[in-house]
Amino acid sequence: MTRGPAGRGPRFATRLLLAQSLVLVAGALTIWLVASAVGPSIFHDHLEQAGVAHSEEETQHVEEAFASALLISISVALVAAAAAALAVSWYFSRRIQRSIGHVAEASSQIAAGRYDTHVDDPGLGVEFATLAGSYNRLADRLEATEATRRQMLADLAHEMRTPLATIDAHLEALEDGVRHLDSETLTVLRSSTHRLRRLAEDVGAVSHAEEGNLPLDPRPLDAATVAATAVDAARDRFQSKGVRLNADLHPAGLVDVDADRIGQALGNLIDNALRHTPSGGSVTVSCRRVERWVQYAVADTGEGIAPEHLPHVFDRFYRVDTARDRHQGGSGIGLAIAKALIEAHGGGISATSAGPGHGSTFKVRLPPA
Ligand SMILES: Nc1ncnc2c1ncn2[C@@H]1O[C@H](COP(=O)(O)OP(=O)(O)OP(=O)(O)O)[C@@H](O)[C@H]1O
Ligand SMILES: [Mg+2]
């Protein structure tokens, strides 16, 4: 008997052939038993009724002819069926083995980290097509996750490099006596460590939120009040930059939210709007009921976002103008956090802009309580 790899029982072809042989043997045995038990007596009765044979000898001769014809036809049928079983087993097992072989091969490729491996539909029916389809989706998903992971690590390393280099350079200057531990040096060191701490906190927050294990403490709250709190928290900063902050809050019923988290998400949107709106401009925070949703919008009259950047602003570490946005203190993670927080509440977030110089609008939708 042919055995599969690692001795895990016989091969698929052997099993299929064994199963078919079992069916064949059962069929042949039944035919044989029935034919030898009842065939000769029925034949004998018919012979007598028809009056074909006249003597005992003739009867015996005809009956022997019947018995050997029966034996020959059963044997020939058995051999033909066995040959057909062999051919069918060979054909199907080859086709199935080939397609399973492809899946097995693709699995080991994926296990080795080559996520671009795909399998074709083997053309063996809907179940195999579904298997191939799910398999390919799995590979795509793993590839996307791996790309995000790699990108995130690269971005994180990149973000850490600048403050670490600054700390390094200042410590070296202190050791060499080029600098002294005065308030200027301390400010630079503090701001670098502050930047690193914020980065660590932000990365932690976004990972927790995206994995869905962020502890939420949802309570039914008045939707407009939630927005009013976020607006009040930002008012001073708007005043000192000379940007007008409007609140257009309509009664929109209750939302079942964690006030701190939603406050953080709206705060991130309002901060961004302030950061990207020059003095003299304005930012409007609104709250209203749209269809079955509670919708918040943060609209500014500032820089706007070019259409090619819009789909990416919610990606972690994405900044439109890398150098300038970083200089303004952004690590490009605020919108990723806002998105994860809103989605953890069963809501959604979107961005629109009429283009550079024409302002941007960020809309948040939450399910009503
Ligand atoms: N209201 C806005 N107007 C124009 N551009 C915006 C606006 N909001 C966000 N952006 C762009 O989207 C990018 C991503 O925003 P995000 O809030 O994620 O990061 P950040 O503000 O740069 O940094 P962080 O929020 O982590 O401090 C920003 O760098 C900016 O280029
Ligand atoms: Mg931001």
Side-chain angles (χ1 to χ4, degrees):
M1 186 184 295
T2 347
R3 295 187 76 81
R8 267 174 260 137
R11 283 179 175 279
F12 177 71
T14 320
R15 286 168 197 251
L16 188 61
L17 190 62
L18 276 176
Q20 295 205 65
S21 310
L22 214 66
V23 175
L24 269 180
V25 168
L29 263 177
T30 316
I31 295 176
W32 183 253
L33 282 175
V34 173
S36 47
V38 292
S41 61
I42 293 177
F43 187 68
H44 188 83
D45 290 350
H46 276 278
L47 268 186
E48 274 189 358
Q49 278 166 25
V52 177
H54 302 289
S55 68
E56 189 71 8
E57 215 168 291
E58 272 176 357
T59 310
Q60 201 184 342
H61 185 71
V62 174
E63 282 182 357
E64 267 172 19
F66 170 75
S68 61
L70 200 64
L71 182 70
I72 289 172
S73 48
I74 290 179
S75 310
V76 169
L78 202 62
V79 170
L86 203 65
V88 166
S89 306
W90 177 80
Y91 176 73
F92 272 106
S93 60
R94 252 178 68 104
R95 284 199 66 175
I96 292 173
Q97 257 172 1
R98 204 178 304 156
S99 57
I100 291 180
H102 282 161
V103 176
E105 167 73 21
S107 307
S108 27
Q109 299 266 10
I110 286 189
R114 284 188 291 277
Y115 300 117
D116 54 345
T117 322
H118 282 85
V119 288
D120 297 328
D121 176 5
L124 281 172
V126 67
E127 292 86 355
F128 278 86
T130 313
L131 175 68
S134 331
Y135 191 87
N136 290 338
R137 275 198 301 283
L138 173 77
D140 288 343
R141 190 74 190 268
L142 282 172
E143 190 175 19
T145 310
E146 176 60 15
T148 315
R149 191 188 66 85
R150 224 178 282 149
Q151 181 66 42
M152 184 160 171
L153 282 179
D155 288 339
L156 198 56
H158 185 258
E159 288 309 311
M160 289 166 70
R161 212 166 291 143
T162 317
L164 281 176
T166 312
I167 294 172
D168 248 5
H170 279 71
L171 287 177
E172 209 167 292
L174 279 172
E175 279 168 358
D176 296 349
V178 183
R179 267 184 178 275
H180 302 286
L181 198 58
D182 50 19
S183 67
E184 192 200 336
T185 312
L186 280 173
T187 309
V188 175
L189 289 175
R190 271 258 163 270
S191 84
S192 297
T193 54
H194 177 257
R195 200 169 156 67
L196 285 172
R197 178 154 31 85
R198 232 199 88 183
L199 192 65
E201 284 166 5
D202 285 355
V203 170
V206 80
S207 314
H208 281 312
E210 286 179 359
E211 283 162 15
N213 60 11
L214 196 75
L216 289 180
D217 180 21
R219 284 159 206 270
L221 295 170
D222 178 60
T225 311
V226 172
T229 311
V231 169
D232 288 342
R235 223 171 259 295
D236 286 353
R237 274 173 292 138
F238 275 74
Q239 217 153 33
S240 47
K241 191 178 170 184
V243 176
R244 209 169 47 200
L245 178 59
N246 308 315
D248 179 22
L249 310 177
H250 301 267
L254 298 178
V255 277
D256 198 18
V257 295
D258 183 320
D260 288 345
R261 306 294 188 187
I262 292 298
Q264 185 186 357
L266 290 178
N268 283 355
L269 298 183
I270 296 172
D271 272 359
N272 281 351
L274 175 62
R275 194 182 284 169
H276 297 281
T277 304
S279 44
S282 71
V283 172
T284 304
V285 179
S286 65
C287 167
R288 54 171 51 85
R289 192 75 176 233
V290 175
E291 292 154 11
R292 65 177 206 88
W293 300 92
V294 170
Q295 179 180 288
Y296 296 108
V298 179
D300 64 58
T301 59
E303 293 163 17
I305 302 170
E308 67 268 26
H309 295 296
L310 265 181
H312 304 292
V313 291
F314 295 104
D315 295 350
R316 283 170 291 195
F317 300 109
Y318 192 85
R319 282 166 302 209
V320 172
D321 183 340
T322 316
R324 197 178 47 162
D325 288 332
R326 185 182 300 134
H327 177 70
Q328 288 178 333
S331 42
I333 211 168
L335 286 177
I337 293 177
K339 181 169 187 267
L341 288 173
I342 300 296
E343 287 177 355
H345 282 84
I349 187 168
S350 62
T352 48
S353 170
H358 293 95
S360 325
T361 301
F362 286 80
K363 285 186 183 149
V364 169
R365 283 188 169 193
L366 288 174

